[in-house]
Amino acid sequence: MIDGGRPISEVARELNVHENLLGKWVRAERIRDGVITEGRAAPPDGELSAGERAELVRLRAEAAEKDRDIAFLKKVSAYFAAQQHR
């Protein structure tokens, strides 16, 4: 819904633009105005089961470890690239 209560699809037809495009414009404007945040809304913690919560913690730790590995490998590859040109 666009402010004023009109559906995006209705306004998009009037403007002769695709409703997905108009939806993106509306979302970008709402982000710029601070009405909504940029990230997608995560489900509240109450909606996760204990198993899902444990998996989420495990996956976040795994992602952090991979990020550290990637940062290290970038430094190492930059070092060896610099050494190769000497």
Side-chain angles (χ1 to χ4, degrees), residues 15-72:
L15 297 174
N16 198 26
V17 297
H18 195 275
E19 65 184 85
N20 288 343
L21 179 60
L22 182 59
K24 288 180 182 180
W25 291 345
V26 169
R27 179 171 172 73
E29 187 65 24
R30 288 178 177 162
I31 290 169
R32 194 166 58 224
D33 288 345
V35 176
I36 61 173
T37 60
E38 197 162 344
R40 294 193 180 266
D45 287 340
E47 293 183 21
L48 297 177
S49 69
E52 291 171 329
R53 192 174 323 284
E55 182 180 16
L56 181 60
V57 168
R58 181 186 64 78
L59 290 172
R60 284 181 177 164
E62 185 178 316
E65 181 181 354
K66 290 188 184 302
D67 288 343
R68 288 188 298 272
D69 290 346
I70 289 169
F72 173 75

Side-chain angles (χ1 to χ4, degrees), residues 6 8 11-12 14 21 42 44 59-60 83:
R6 294 178 57 201
I8 289 178
V11 176
E14 286 180 20
L21 179 60
L59 290 172
R60 284 181 177 164
Q83 295 298 318

